[in-house]
Amino acid sequence: MKVFRRAYLALVKYLEAAASFISDDEVESLVRTLEQVYRDGKRVFVVGVGRSGLVGRAFAMRLMHLGFSAYVVGETVTPAARAGDLLIAISGSGRSAAVVAAAEVAKSLGVKVVALTSYPDSPLSKIADMVVSIPGRTKVSHEDRWEVRQLLGLHEPLAPLGTQFELVAQVVLDSIISELMERLGIDEEDLRELHANVEV
Amino acid sequence: MKVFRRAYLALVKYLEAAASFISDDEVESLVRTLEQVYRDGKRVFVVGVGRSGLVGRAFAMRLMHLGFSAYVVGETVTPAARAGDLLIAISGSGRSAAVVAAAEVAKSLGVKVVALTSYPDSPLSKIADMVVSIPGRTKVSHEDRWEVRQLLGLHEPLAPLGTQFELVAQVVLDSIISELMERLGIDEEDLRELHANVEV
Amino acid sequence: MKVFRRAYLALVKYLEAAASFISDDEVESLVRTLEQVYRDGKRVFVVGVGRSGLVGRAFAMRLMHLGFSAYVVGETVTPAARAGDLLIAISGSGRSAAVVAAAEVAKSLGVKVVALTSYPDSPLSKIADMVVSIPGRTKVSHEDRWEVRQLLGLHEPLAPLGTQFELVAQVVLDSIISELMERLGIDEEDLRELHANVEV
Amino acid sequence: MKVFRRAYLALVKYLEAAASFISDDEVESLVRTLEQVYRDGKRVFVVGVGRSGLVGRAFAMRLMHLGFSAYVVGETVTPAARAGDLLIAISGSGRSAAVVAAAEVAKSLGVKVVALTSYPDSPLSKIADMVVSIPGRTKVSHEDRWEVRQLLGLHEPLAPLGTQFELVAQVVLDSIISELMERLGIDEEDLRELHANVEV
């Protein structure tokens, strides 16, 4: 194989390098908001299109396992959002039209909006009450990216389109789950209790 | 147009004719179970594959609007089922492997299983605690079906595959929603309150 | 049961009454466009939110069974739309923000847009190249609706929210499938060939 | 924050450590099969439940961007599978009932089945024509896992349930995309061409 193993290691290195671009303060704000929502019995909604939407779904599923009232915008049983609820909006570019539109509607309802994006100046970020910056292509320096391409010996970038953004967002959100487990005193057995047992 | 309007009217006639094949007792059993689940704060799960799954989703969404804890098997935030919960399994043939498997698992967990099917002797029906028989191709008499084809002047059947089953199931479930609204004292304004307001 | 059977029959009557509000010319335009898309190997996309989205999915599934390249906006493998493709946008009110936004984007790409809606003057209708008017609450006369309520002996309307629109849209689209089968010379066996055989 | 950053780094270390448990031969077999499917115009189906299903969807989306006929089992427009097609079945335990059932049906149709699993002796692996072993909890040694917990200073495991399996599977599949881009001569611009442009 020409590329597989180098691509794998390059993605791991990217995830490692990304750690220093993630803000403790931003993550702490999101975690505190999630704790508050949990204790107040409010709802968490996630929204994203394409692969960012899948990252959001993976997070919503774990929140449900933790005992949150978590919903994915656009799925069947997603109810009305109310003031005091939380919307987590995921968009690398911060420009996905459907995500921006959902954030605007949520904001107008008194829902707190958190943006996970690589662009703190994007339309989505401007609507959001909080931003968690996720390093995507533009956040790790161009030199960095060039080294990565050199490492791969390719003219093509490391991985196409939003792959890096999506992977970093996934690991950030999974790590937030661990943080919430610790803070809320929830252990793996509790998660297992809520995990779907009738599945297709 | 050669077929459109005759097909439309034939489907309406089919729905009308189907009414006399629907059992008040079977529907009453399902409605009572739903009332019980609602009052006990238990969960309702729906499962189906293909277009039957879409009929199930449409019903789950309305149950959510009514204030039920309703879930679609296979969606992101669907939690564990417990004894006392209800599974509504929709399969015209009663043989969809994934639906039968889900019903078996649910049964083993102490979940009550209701089958919506055209085949009261099918594998799904045998697992189920209750069956609501929905006339599909096999339930309205062959003569009936032949007349319908004659009406259309076609060698082809009225509408392909499970269309009739799916439409009758949809109208039965929508009518159960009206019955539940009456019994639970819920009006349209209540439904509107819970209807998703952040949508993609 | 107090309401079930009357609601069922009232919905059937509604479907029957709706037939005279459906325009042959509008349906013929949609059918011809679908034929053209089929013969040119172009793609059909459907979009809708909530239960209208489920109606769209049910139609897209049948189009796939007929051999169309059919996709649901927002599902995993939905590719880029191109000039000459077709978007079928379903919204009773013609105001669902995500549907209107999708229609606008599609229009700008040279995609032909068909609106299924009860409101021919709605934002969606104004964007659309073609409208297929589907009688919802506002299209069948108020007197009509009142009679229906009288029939039910309820203060509540016949069925909540967009139920009537969704059912009529479903039967219209299923009848268009029959029309397409006739025109394209496709029989039920052909549909069965393409029907998903690995299912969850 | 007590856990967030340590969990993030532990997941990155896990991904790094996992690399030496991934078999070049197994990955090469999958890549060659994918190349063959691409060149023969055959279809790729992915199936998984829960978060494994989301990993599969993310892969299917990229395959579609590459120009594959890729489908997700259970989505609306997923057609029949045929001999010569490929099913990629993702299950950490290799025991998810719906995934095993789908693999069995696919096998009986002459579809080649690849299992991504941590258990090469599982029911899924026994059905599969090929296995790509993905280190989950059981594959990296217990000592390894203990060190990771020590690092976190937690009694709880690093991340709950299948998180590690899912992340490694995601990075493996994303790296396979890079390998396929190289082999098939597809660049990022080609992917962008096919990326959904009408989105909700």
Side-chain angles (χ1 to χ4, degrees), chain A residues 139-153:
Chain A
K139 295 296 288 305
V140 174
S141 73
H142 282 291
E143 289 73 23
D144 227 330
R145 286 172 57 215
W146 181 244
E147 281 173 30
V148 163
R149 291 194 198 183
Q150 292 285 87
L151 177 69
L152 290 174

Side-chain angles (χ1 to χ4, degrees), chain A residues 74, chain B residues 51 54 57, chain C residues 46 48 50 52-62 72-75 90, chain D residues 76-77:
Chain B
R51 290 181 30 137
L54 298 172
R57 280 170 153 82
Chain C
V46 300
S52 293
L54 299 172
V55 169
R57 280 171 154 81
F59 186 55
M61 198 182 293
R62 279 286 184 266
V72 177
V73 174
E75 286 201 345
I90 307 176
Chain D
T76 303
V77 301

Side-chain angles (χ1 to χ4, degrees), chain A residues 43 47 57 60-61 64 70-82 87 98 102 105-106 109 193-200, chain B residues 43 47 57 60-61 64 70-82 87 98 102 105-106 109 193-200:
Chain A
R43 291 160 169 166
V47 68
R57 280 170 154 82
M61 200 183 291
M64 177 273 284
Y71 296 98
V72 177
V73 174
E75 286 201 344
T76 304
V77 301
T78 304
R82 303 263 175 260
L87 176 72
V105 172
L109 296 165
E193 277 292 299
L194 285 168
H195 190 288
N197 50 14
V198 181
E199 295 185 296
V200 293
Chain B
R43 291 161 170 164
V47 68
R57 280 170 153 82
M61 198 183 292
M64 177 274 283
Y71 296 98
V72 177
V73 173
E75 286 201 345
T76 303
V77 301
T78 305
R82 305 263 175 260
L87 177 72
V105 171
L109 295 164
E193 276 292 297
L194 284 167
H195 190 287
N197 49 13
V198 181
E199 295 185 296
V200 293

Side-chain angles (χ1 to χ4, degrees), chain B residues 27-38 180 183:
Chain B
V27 173
E28 174 66 27
S29 289
L30 174 52
V31 171
R32 275 198 196 160
T33 304
L34 283 163
E35 272 189 279
Q36 195 63 39
V37 161
Y38 180 83
L180 287 168
R183 293 200 193 183

Side-chain angles (χ1 to χ4, degrees), chain C residues 65-67 185-195, chain D residues 82:
Chain C
H65 294 158
L66 290 180
I186 293 168
D187 67 18
E188 191 175 36
E189 209 42 56
D190 299 321
L191 273 82
R192 211 181 298 277
E193 277 291 298
L194 285 167
H195 190 287
Chain D
R82 303 265 175 259

